[in-house]
Amino acid sequence: MREIEVNRDGHLVFGGADTVKLAEEYGTPLYVVDENYIVERCREIKSAFMDKYPNATAVYASKALQTIDVCRIVTREGLGLDTVSGGEIYAALKAGADPQKMVFHGNNKTKEEIKFALENNIGRFVVDNLYELVLVNKTAAELEKTASIQIRITPGVDSHTHKFISTGNIDSKFGISLKKEDRNEVIKYALDAANIDLKGFHFHVGSQLMDNEAHLMAMDIILGLVKDVREELGFVTKELNLGGGFGVRYVDGEETVRLEDFTDGMMGKINRFCEENGFELPMVYIEPGRWIVGNAGITLYTVGSIKTIPDIKTYVAVDGGMPDNPRPILYQAEYESVVANKAASKANKTVSVVGKCCESGDVLIEKTELAEDLESGDILCVFTTGAYNYSMASNYNRIPRPAMVMLKDGKARLSVRRETWEDLILREI
Ligand SMILES: Cc1ncc(COP(=O)(O)O)c(C=O)c1O
């Protein structure tokens, strides 16, 4: 979360805007995203990585928050886009993103998606497995195209984050194993395939990492692979993709991590390795998602029922919940919150913030302190909801998804309109 700012009316200010006024004007639940913050983070990526190192590039992992608006902002700032499906590619293209700066991920791309990506000249395919490699080559041949690829490697590193967001373990649905015969089968196929241009390797060790230990371990492993495949197969790696996973501060007490805290160590290793082993510096990609948008967003809710069970707890129910933010139920993710219209009040009322779904697990914050004078009708702000909220939202219980407003220099514009009940049945025949 970011520093809390309160105005003269005792209202929470976010991105230069009075959050209570935003709730009045646009309704709740409401995603509020601060464009200036996204721009700042993109510029930091440029100065701390892209401009600092030769051959360094960044693609925004758009799964974190993919709207046309956000794709446009990030594209304008010079980043490419990491996409994971035909749908994400479609929206990114609609936003005007440069296809050559797009990377297409996923562990089970369909033929239809591969065809769409090839037809639109997507810059890189990150190929996850042999089945997919064969399919990409075949589809490219049919279209008389060449697919430029990076092969995703499972580095076998335990990233210490929640099991569901750690992707680099040996037991992982992502990537090819490092076992010599497994990886060489895939690499050889890629080198022999007429419609594949193998550029290098990709790894991603996990998400919401607060130190660089796992990244550095994975880096050593991948550099070992780079050396081995030159010796064994004569393949000289031209590109390395280090994935994303750089963590952000969600709750009090957590550190703020700088991008360099991750990238400098890895770049140091790459540079030394190349010097010592006579390699040209490869093109290095990073794929930050959460790091760019996590703290760019908040969610505003209206407080409804407040139920105190004596000697047990007080449940504060809001007009959203797991459909707009499934992270607590998926990963036991933790959040901070404040009563936006009473942001100057003493926060000493211990409560559980829960959603409105027919599901006991629909708890947004298990335990938090809210304003002592909290009452129904208040506006509750949950911080750090920029990443993996809107993009993971559902319509469980036929709850329409919230609107999103984008703030620029404190001025709001509607970025995504609120879903209606009519929208909910549009596709039903
Ligand atoms: C391959 C890959 N790259 C990048 C990311 C972005 O991760 P984060 O948002 O933690 O930076 C992910 C997220 O799961 C991923 O799987």
Side-chain angles (χ1 to χ4, degrees), residues 61 63 82 105 152 202 204 207-208 244-245 287-290 388:
K63 71 203 84 174
D82 150 358
H105 270 283
R152 181 163 181 166
H202 169 282
H204 172 80
S207 206
Q208 184 51 15
E287 302 174 330
R290 188 192 316 270
Y388 305 107

Side-chain angles (χ1 to χ4, degrees), residues 351-418:
V351 304
S352 261
V353 178
V354 298
K356 61 182 264 126
C357 280
C358 195
E359 184 75 39
S360 326
D362 179 20
V363 176
L364 281 175
I365 308 180
E366 189 66 50
K367 192 174 178 196
T368 187
E369 256 81 59
L370 293 182
E372 55 188 349
D373 47 348
L374 173 79
E375 59 193 335
S376 303
D378 283 344
I379 302 299
L380 188 83
C381 167
V382 175
F383 294 99
T384 322
T385 58
Y388 305 107
N389 273 230
Y390 172 79
S391 56
M392 283 186 156
S394 77
N395 288 125
Y396 181 51
N397 287 172
R398 293 260 203 209
I399 294 173
R401 276 171 286 203
M404 183 184 296
V405 293
M406 185 67 74
L407 302 172
K408 185 166 192 210
D409 304 327
K411 274 218 180 98
R413 64 173 186 271
L414 188 62
S415 187
V416 181
R417 75 157 168 82
R418 185 174 301 285

Side-chain angles (χ1 to χ4, degrees), residues 323-335:
D324 60 78
N325 183 359
R327 293 191 67 254
I329 199 162
L330 278 176
Y331 315 126
Q332 293 78 53
E334 293 183 355
Y335 286 93

Side-chain angles (χ1 to χ4, degrees), residues 274-294:
C274 288
E275 258 177 52
E276 284 165 18
N277 294 283
F279 277 89
E280 301 245 329
L281 267 187
M283 186 78 189
V284 181
Y285 288 63
I286 53 168
E287 302 174 330
R290 188 192 316 270
W291 195 84
I292 297 177
V293 291

Side-chain angles (χ1 to χ4, degrees), residues 22-49:
L22 291 175
E24 273 164 19
E25 188 174 346
Y26 295 97
T28 60
L30 182 69
Y31 295 119
V32 181
V33 179
D34 180 6
E35 173 167 347
N36 291 19
Y37 186 87
I38 297 179
V39 168
E40 268 170 40
R41 295 296 252 197
C42 290
R43 292 188 183 169
E44 209 174 318
I45 288 171
K46 263 193 282 180
S47 62
F49 184 67

